[in-house]
Amino acid sequence: DIQMTQSPSSLSASVGDRVTITCQASEDISNYLNWYQQKPGKAPNLLIYDVSNLETGVPSRFSGSGSGTGTDFNLSISSLQPEDFATYYCQQYDILPLTFGGGTKVEIK
Amino acid sequence: EVQLVESGGGLVQPGRSLRLSCAGSGFPFGDYAMHWVRQAPGKGLEWVSGISWNSGSIDYVDSVKSRFTISRDNAKNSLFLQMNSLRAEDTAFYFCAKANNFGTVTTGFDSWGQGTLVTVSS
């Protein structure tokens, strides 16, 4: 199975900060990588698909990138807003079973 | 508007069975793969099972293989998960999720239900 490792597992940041979350795959997954946001008590919400494509309706302060190796990926929030405090998950869909990273909880400093 | 509504969760004893349902609307249900994803309370997300649009491709996470069965009824816009031989570690919120592309089962998820809680305990 492909292991997805996210870091950090949690972070504290202030409104207006730039935040970057990393996700590393245990093997090359090409560009088959999505990012989700989940708020407490809610279902996850797709933010970015195929590494860097913004899902419809997602604010442009969110962006995704990859290193080109097929194993290292980033989710960035350019200017953190109050509604962005949530848990973020990466997910690979290159090979079954589909797997998620362990999550990164973004908290208010 | 895409809507996915799960039902069938509840408290069940270890070793017993439960059947989850998911009703889809607002999109051509029969055109998309569908999935079950679970989340133990306070924990991360775990993909459980997926089924292609025509049921021709099905897969499961290893921990539920031979115990869970996914199925769908496109005529009724419905997805199901039959869960047998339930264990305490199956306790979780179970989300129904729609594939975000026209692939087989290797997809992401662009719409989710609100989740249904399955608690396995004596």
Side-chain angles (χ1 to χ4, degrees), chain A:
Chain A
D1 298 1
I2 296 178
Q3 308 303 316
M4 305 299 291
T5 303
Q6 281 184 241
S7 61
S9 56
S10 65
L11 65 90
S12 295
S14 301
V15 172
D17 284 352
R18 179 179 180 85
V19 167
T20 298
I21 298 167
T22 67
C23 177
Q24 185 170 61
S26 59
E27 58 187 87
D28 185 350
I29 59 169
S30 186
N31 66 331
Y32 300 116
L33 188 284
N34 296 333
W35 289 97
Y36 301 85
Q37 176 193 66
Q38 187 180 31
K39 297 182 179 179
K42 300 293 187 181
N45 183 47
L46 178 64
L47 292 178
I48 290 173
Y49 62 95
D50 298 349
V51 176
S52 60
N53 294 288
L54 219 57
E55 179 71 351
T56 302
V58 174
S60 58
R61 63 181 178 273
F62 290 92
S63 63
S65 64
S67 66
T69 62
T71 60
D72 298 294
F73 307 93
N74 289 337
L75 170 69
S76 294
I77 310 172
S78 60
S79 177
L80 204 62
Q81 297 302 300
E83 60 267 31
D84 301 336
F85 292 95
T87 301
Y88 295 84
Y89 295 92
C90 60
Q91 176 241 336
Q92 68 82 19
Y93 60 101
D94 182 34
I95 294 175
L96 295 170
L98 308 177
T99 48
F100 291 89
T104 297
K105 186 174 184 179
V106 177
E107 298 176 301
I108 301 172
K109 182 182 285 185

Side-chain angles (χ1 to χ4, degrees), chain A residues 1 32 34 36 38 41-46 49-50 55 89 91-103, chain B residues 35 37 39 43-47 57-62 95 100-101 105-115:
Chain A
D1 298 1
Y32 300 116
N34 296 333
Y36 301 85
Q38 187 180 31
K42 300 293 187 181
N45 183 47
L46 178 64
Y49 62 95
D50 298 349
E55 179 71 351
Y89 295 92
Q91 176 241 336
Q92 68 82 19
Y93 60 101
D94 182 34
I95 294 175
L96 295 170
L98 308 177
T99 48
F100 291 89
Chain B
H35 300 267
V37 177
Q39 185 170 37
K43 302 298 184 183
L45 300 169
E46 180 183 42
W47 175 79
S57 180
I58 288 173
D59 202 12
Y60 304 90
V61 67
D62 280 351
F95 296 98
N100 73 324
N101 60 48
V105 184
T106 48
T107 76
F109 322 102
D110 63 4
S111 297
W112 300 64
Q114 83 287 353

Side-chain angles (χ1 to χ4, degrees), chain B residues 7-85:
Chain B
S7 60
L11 174 63
V12 61
Q13 293 178 328
R16 303 299 291 266
S17 299
L18 209 58
R19 189 187 198 213
L20 305 183
S21 300
C22 171
S25 61
F27 68 103
F29 185 86
D31 286 355
Y32 290 90
M34 295 294 296
H35 300 267
W36 291 99
V37 177
R38 68 184 177 183
Q39 185 170 37
K43 302 298 184 183
L45 300 169
E46 180 183 42
W47 175 79
V48 174
S49 181
I51 183 168
S52 63
W53 65 277
N54 63 351
S55 304
S57 180
I58 288 173
D59 202 12
Y60 304 90
V61 67
D62 280 351
S63 60
V64 309
K65 279 181 182 175
S66 78
R67 299 188 299 123
F68 289 12
T69 302
I70 192 172
S71 61
R72 65 189 297 163
D73 183 341
N74 289 342
K76 296 182 178 179
N77 291 349
S78 294
L79 175 72
F80 306 100
L81 187 67
Q82 177 67 42
M83 304 185 295
N84 298 332
S85 303

